[in-house]
Amino acid sequence: MAKSRGSPSRAIFKLEEIENMAATFIKQQNQKRQKKKKKPISPKVFHPSCTVIDLGAAPGSWTQWIGERLDSNGILIALDLLELDERTVNGIEYNEDGPSFHCIQGDFTKNEKKQHILDILLEEDKSHGVDCVISDMAANFTGDSLTDALRTMNLCEDALMLAAGSSCFDPRFIPTTSKSDGVLRNGGTFLCKFFACGQTNEEDLREAIGRNFEVSTVLKPKASRKESAELYMFATGYKGGQNQ
Ligand SMILES: C[S@@+](CC[C@H](N)C(=O)[O-])C[C@H]1O[C@@H](n2cnc3c(N)ncnc32)[C@H](O)[C@@H]1O
């Protein structure tokens, strides 16, 4: 099915489902918030002019799918250890009405790669104006499922620090009043893939997300194999960013 849609992998179906599940979740949350007279959360995760950082982007289904949704006001930064499928890259680069597209090859855990992302954002005048940071990164499998899950959890934590700032794991840090060095704008969205590895190992990520975002939930799209421990953490309504 992915091939027939010209997509390099079946991951496209996961993102499509995640978008629908997230929309339903936000709708439910907004009904509750209305009763409590709280400001509603923006119902749309991806809009045509948004700025998206796509981590763990290869071979490129998510990048392709997002690239097709963004217009020339949008910005898309894709990073992976591996090269992206050239059809994905060409499809976005040759589309005159498409977003400003930046493709980075390398290890996200290395400071120079994070700096590369920050440099692009500065150039694009979006240093604290990112709408979505999404991570589908999965550490190379070692064969030991707990080790694999913990290594991927580290990647999630690293991605969250880019999105919500280096202090986001500090419980004393109050995102609404302290200055964050995260790249997300106020109200921005964070999504990451993780592998279930027990409450204790997931606690830091869940707690940091709970403190820094208005709402969050764990999603399991049907396109993700039932027997796989793969899950997605979705959080939106970032509290610590600048208003755009
Ligand atoms: C499941 S694949 C991503 C699929 C992709 N979202 C798509 O739609 O085609 C996971 C990716 O994470 C990447 N990855 C793992 N560790 C990484 C790291 N430290 N830095 C950058 N990418 C990493 C892998 O190279 C792999 O391509």
Side-chain angles (χ1 to χ4, degrees):
M1 277 169 78
K3 266 190 200 147
S4 71
R5 286 183 52 172
S7 182
S9 81
R10 61 190 197 91
I12 187 173
F13 301 114
K14 295 183 196 169
L15 188 57
E16 259 178 7
E17 267 188 87
I18 288 170
E19 192 195 35
N20 289 332
M21 292 166 105
T24 308
F25 170 70
I26 295 171
K27 210 170 156 188
Q28 288 163 350
Q29 292 297 312
N30 278 341
Q31 283 165 357
K32 289 185 195 165
R33 292 172 73 86
Q34 196 180 15
K35 283 184 195 149
K36 293 182 186 162
K37 298 200 166 30
K38 282 185 168 175
K39 224 176 122 198
I41 305 286
S42 167
K44 238 181 154 25
V45 176
F46 300 108
H47 56 84
S49 59
C50 68
T51 298
V52 182
I53 300 178
D54 177 11
L55 302 170
S61 298
W62 285 22
T63 312
Q64 182 192 47
W65 190 86
I66 296 162
E68 284 167 3
R69 263 149 199 84
L70 303 190
D71 65 19
S72 54
N73 296 312
I75 300 166
L76 176 54
I77 303 174
L79 179 144
D80 202 289
L81 283 169
L82 308 174
E83 235 178 310
L84 262 71
D85 187 292
E86 67 174 15
R87 284 168 307 169
T88 295
V89 175
N90 292 342
I92 304 174
E93 280 181 350
Y94 293 142
N95 177 7
E96 283 178 10
D97 303 320
S100 168
F101 181 52
H102 305 266
C103 199
I104 306 171
Q105 190 175 356
D107 185 346
F108 175 65
T109 63
K110 302 278 185 254
N111 282 340
E112 73 205 56
K113 293 298 160 196
K114 290 183 192 125
Q115 191 56 50
H116 193 162
I117 295 177
L118 298 179
D119 290 345
I120 292 170
L121 292 175
L122 191 64
E123 247 172 60
E124 296 273 11
D125 201 16
K126 287 282 175 186
S127 289
H128 302 281
V130 173
D131 298 272
C132 307
V133 173
I134 61 177
S135 167
D136 199 21
M137 288 187 286
N140 279 341
F141 292 130
T142 60
D144 178 66
S145 57
L146 182 59
T147 306
D148 295 341
L150 294 176
R151 290 172 66 200
T152 296
M153 183 55 73
N154 285 341
L155 294 172
C156 295
E157 293 177 355
D158 231 7
L160 183 63
M161 280 201 273
L162 174 75
S166 48
S167 306
C168 71
F169 286 96
D170 181 350
R172 294 164 303 179
F173 179 78
I174 301 165
T176 44
T177 52
S178 317
K179 205 168 177 316
S180 158
D181 57 358
V183 299
L184 279 182
R185 65 163 170 83
N186 226 12
T189 297
F190 177 74
L191 172 74
C192 69
K193 188 232 300 280
F194 70 103
F195 295 97
C197 49
Q199 211 180 336
T200 319
N201 295 321
E202 294 167 15
E203 211 162 34
D204 286 351
L205 183 75
R206 286 176 187 265
E207 285 182 4
I209 282 182
R211 278 192 304 274
N212 287 277
F213 291 82
E214 293 283 352
V215 295
S216 64
T217 187
V218 172
L219 303 172
K220 173 81 176 170
K222 286 197 190 83
S224 168
R225 292 192 175 91
K226 252 195 216 148
E227 62 279 14
S228 159
E230 176 182 79
L231 294 167
Y232 288 86
M233 176 72 82
F234 171 79
T236 192
Y238 177 51
K239 296 180 192 172
Q242 295 173 7
N243 289 324
Q244 296 296 303

